[in-house]
Amino acid sequence: MFTTACLSDCFLVLEVALAAEFQRPVSIHCVRGYGHLLQFFQQLAKQPSACPPKVMLHSYGGSLEEIPRFHKLKGIGERFYFSFSHVINQRTPDKLVARIAAVPSDRLLIESDQVGGCNTVVPCVVSS
């Protein structure tokens, strides 16, 4: 019997492999599994050609400490981008501001997934 986590891992491996093969960016939405995701990319860093050219961590909700860990992955760290959205990230406003401040400005993406959503996320960016 396959668990939900096992199926998610299988789809992640397939999605990343296809994106790498066809040199396409990949968008990953991770829920309570950033440590596991980081370990996955640490393994891929051993063979950078197996990693897509760009990786967006959609509505990033991982820890502050994990942000630089993604960027420091040898050979692939420059491929990571962090996005933030009102719908997901505004649930914890203090953490949102801290996360945004921790992301290098050239790796920061703001999502506009809700009408008026940027009205709450963008001031966080501007103030940090």
Side-chain angles (χ1 to χ4, degrees):
M1 187 77 175
F2 290 107
T3 65
T4 303
C6 179
L7 288 173
S8 293
D9 286 351
C10 291
F11 284 115
L12 174 66
V13 169
L14 291 172
E15 178 184 18
V16 168
L18 281 171
E21 179 180 347
F22 292 103
Q23 287 297 289
R24 298 290 188 257
V26 67
S27 175
I28 298 173
H29 183 81
C30 182
V31 178
R32 288 180 253 138
Y34 284 96
H36 182 70
L37 186 64
L38 184 59
Q39 288 176 347
F40 172 76
F41 280 106
Q42 285 170 335
Q43 292 301 311
L44 278 186
K46 295 174 183 176
Q47 186 181 1
S49 64
C51 185
K54 305 286 182 210
V55 179
M56 180 182 80
L57 300 179
H58 163 69
S59 293
Y60 181 76
S63 72
L64 289 176
E65 296 79 21
E66 288 167 328
I67 292 171
R69 290 182 190 148
F70 279 102
H71 287 290
K72 291 179 182 176
L73 288 171
K74 186 175 182 180
I76 63 172
E78 72 284 349
R79 301 178 192 193
F80 288 90
Y81 292 80
F82 296 79
S83 76
F84 298 92
S85 69
H86 171 78
V87 172
I88 303 295
N89 300 112
Q90 191 60 31
R91 296 175 190 164
T92 54
D94 294 339
K95 288 182 180 180
L96 172 60
V97 172
R99 287 178 184 131
I100 288 173
V103 174
S105 61
D106 66 334
R107 301 290 162 198
L108 179 62
L109 303 171
I110 304 297
E111 298 182 28
S112 58
D113 53 357
Q114 175 180 327
V115 175
C118 284
N119 293 337
T120 54
V121 175
V122 172
C124 292
V125 175
V126 173
S127 67
S128 63

